[in-house]
Amino acid sequence: MKTTRTLGIAALALVAVACSSSKGGSSGSGGMVGTGGADATGGVTGTGGAASGGSGGGTAVGSCTDVPEYCVMYTTQAACEAIGCYWSNSTPIESCEGTGWPCGHFTTQATCAYAGCTWLAGVAPAGSGGAGTGGAPGTGGAGAAVGTGGGGGAGGTTSTGGTAGGPTTLATIAYPAGIAIDATSVFWTYDSTDGKVMKVSMSGGSPTTLASGVSHPHGIATRMTTVYWTTADSAGTVTAMPTTGGTATTLITGQDTPTDLVVNGSNAYWTNQTGTVMKGPITGGTATTLASNQDSPGHIAAFGASIFWTNSPSTSSGAVMTVSTAGGTPTMLASGQSSLSGLAADGSSVYWTTGDIATGTVMKVSVNGGTPTVLASSQSVPRSIVVDATNLYWVNASTGTATGTVMKMPTSGGTPSTLASGQYLPEYVAVDGTSVYWVSCEANSPTCSLMKTPK
């Protein structure tokens, strides 16, 4: 069984990098004009200008890691709640919690440190090329027979940095049901009666099996140093394990076909296909029902003190729902949605895809409700969608052979841009500070590729 996954958070680099062209040295000045005489000789031959080209690529910079939540940079309740996070005073030290962007969102050492993250020096961001080298110094022309100095030589030619990189295959995998990321690795679930939870470095390499013999592992999420997943059968569970491997811990039992999963603060949230939206502590314990009698709940997202999910009873009557993380009466944010295929949320809006073949859309509505807005139309079977601080990313599965795409556009709207094309039925997208990750699966084949491209 496979459903499209979207992740509230995520941080994955075999990528060719792009860099800007740099300019060569300036043109050299000609020599001094010689003075003719009775026996005048030519002027001194002019020497070309120094020809060292400019640097071809960007200078390597650092990156921010350790994946505490974006919300933790806010240290007062007012600032915390203004960004859509949840102010917690249940511990001796008050803190700001929520599912915002991970440390990869911060691109300077100062903001990284302010957020309580760790700055890793010397990591070049995607898109930086090597330094270009200018041409050799130009040489001035020879002096004339009588009286005229040589002309100045030309400066060095303009140098060009490296070319931009395209999609990279990180690993060949089978039967994926969802992906998640942390600061160094990509994780996925292998959906089978003898399923697995696996990971691979963001730089690619040999996959590592974290857990095997798992019955239909499905939804997957990470937080700090732990990976979480659901087992989608009638005796479903929510399970946790260190991201480095070790002993799996069953946190919640007695769930009926739990599928999509998100972790927000100190709790995990998931949907049971039999009609409930659930909550349980990430330390283990008793599950709480946040919403019941839902019609085929599927995708789930979280931000601050709110949970969002999709109800997909048929191809034309889907709904986008929300409820407080503390529980209460669910609110319908959008109705009459066709083939709901992905869901994401930030502090101001909820985003989703409607997966029709030729008329698929990317939609948006305020977290407080209102009239939904079409951000992108005429998409070919749009599916998984994620959001970062400024942009949306989604995959178009399409219907032809190798015609799928990975797309990007601002959360405020605009023209979508294509980050990758020629993909086989792409699904399950995730994003960090520099890259987009997804799965590309050939039709009628269990074989898939775990992919990555600069964002």
Side-chain angles (χ1 to χ4, degrees):
M1 86 185 351
K2 296 168 67 175
T3 59
T4 304
R5 287 267 306 121
T6 57
L7 304 176
I9 39 180
L12 321 175
L14 284 174
V15 192
V17 289
C19 77
S20 59
S21 294
S22 56
K23 298 183 178 179
S26 57
S27 242
S29 299
M32 296 292 295
V33 175
T35 302
D39 297 316
T41 57
V44 178
T45 299
T47 301
S52 179
S55 295
T59 303
V61 297
S63 64
C64 195
T65 187
D66 272 359
V67 204
E69 313 295 349
Y70 174 77
C71 296
V72 298
M73 73 177 290
Y74 297 94
T75 55
T76 67
Q77 184 171 359
C80 171
E81 293 176 345
I83 198 66
C85 300
Y86 171 66
W87 187 255
S88 172
N89 55 13
S90 61
T91 58
I93 300 176
E94 293 184 323
S95 62
C96 188
E97 299 176 353
T99 307
W101 305 283
C103 291
H105 168 71
F106 298 99
T107 56
T108 69
Q109 188 169 2
T111 56
C112 174
Y114 186 52
C117 304
T118 300
W119 186 255
L120 298 180
V123 179
S128 298
T133 303
T139 303
V146 177
T148 304
T157 58
T158 300
S159 61
T160 304
T163 57
T168 300
T169 300
L170 298 180
T172 299
I173 63 178
Y175 297 112
I179 66 172
I181 59 175
D182 68 3
T184 61
S185 301
V186 189
F187 302 79
W188 68 94
T189 48
Y190 165 35
D191 187 1
S192 168
T193 54
D194 186 25
K196 300 176 182 179
V197 178
M198 305 186 71
K199 75 172 184 177
V200 72
S201 167
M202 288 179 173
S203 300
S206 298
T208 299
T209 299
L210 297 176
S212 59
V214 182
S215 178
H216 295 292
H218 209 83
I220 188 167
T222 60
R223 184 179 188 274
M224 306 294 280
T225 58
T226 305
V227 58
Y228 305 84
W229 67 88
T230 60
T231 57
D233 55 29
S234 58
T237 63
V238 178
T239 303
M241 174 184 280
T243 54
T244 53
T247 302
T249 301
T250 301
L251 304 177
I252 305 291
T253 60
Q255 301 305 296
D256 195 349
T257 321
T259 52
D260 212 6
L261 172 74
V262 65
V263 175
N264 181 30
S266 59
N267 290 287
Y269 302 85
W270 64 95
T271 51
N272 285 331
Q273 285 189 344
T274 50
T276 56
V277 179
M278 307 297 295
K279 164 185 173 181
I282 58 175
T283 54
T286 303
T288 300
T289 301
L290 294 178
S292 58
N293 300 317
Q294 299 300 295
D295 202 344
S296 301
H299 310 290
I300 192 167
F303 196 95
S306 297
I307 299 298
F308 309 91
W309 70 93
T310 59
N311 285 338
S312 302
S314 70
T315 58
S316 61
S317 57
V320 178
M321 308 291 296
T322 186
V323 74
S324 167
T325 55
T329 302
T331 299
M332 182 181 294
L333 298 177
S335 61
Q337 300 301 299
S338 175
S339 302
L340 284 163
S341 299
L343 184 72
D346 59 19
S348 61
S349 301
V350 186
Y351 311 88
W352 67 95
T353 58
T354 63
D356 294 320
I357 293 175
T359 58
T361 58
V362 176
M363 305 291 295
K364 169 183 177 178
V365 72
S366 167
V367 294
N368 299 314
T371 302
T373 300
V374 177
L375 293 179
S377 58
S378 301
Q379 302 298 297
S380 183
V381 197
R383 296 183 67 80
S384 245
I385 187 169
V386 292
V387 61
D388 66 10
T390 55
N391 293 296
L392 293 166
Y393 306 83
W394 71 93
V395 289
N396 285 332
S398 191
T399 57
T401 301
T403 56
T405 55
V406 179
M407 308 297 293
K408 169 185 176 180
M409 77 178 301
T411 55
S412 57
T415 302
S417 57
T418 301
L419 298 179
S421 58
Q423 301 300 299
Y424 290 87
L425 301 174
E427 292 191 72
Y428 313 124
V429 65
V431 66
D432 64 12
T434 61
S435 303
V436 183
Y437 308 84
W438 71 96
V439 170
S440 180
C441 298
E442 296 184 26
N444 303 315
S445 170
T447 302
C448 302
S449 296
L450 181 60
M451 306 295 295
K452 170 183 179 178
T453 199
K455 70 177 190 179

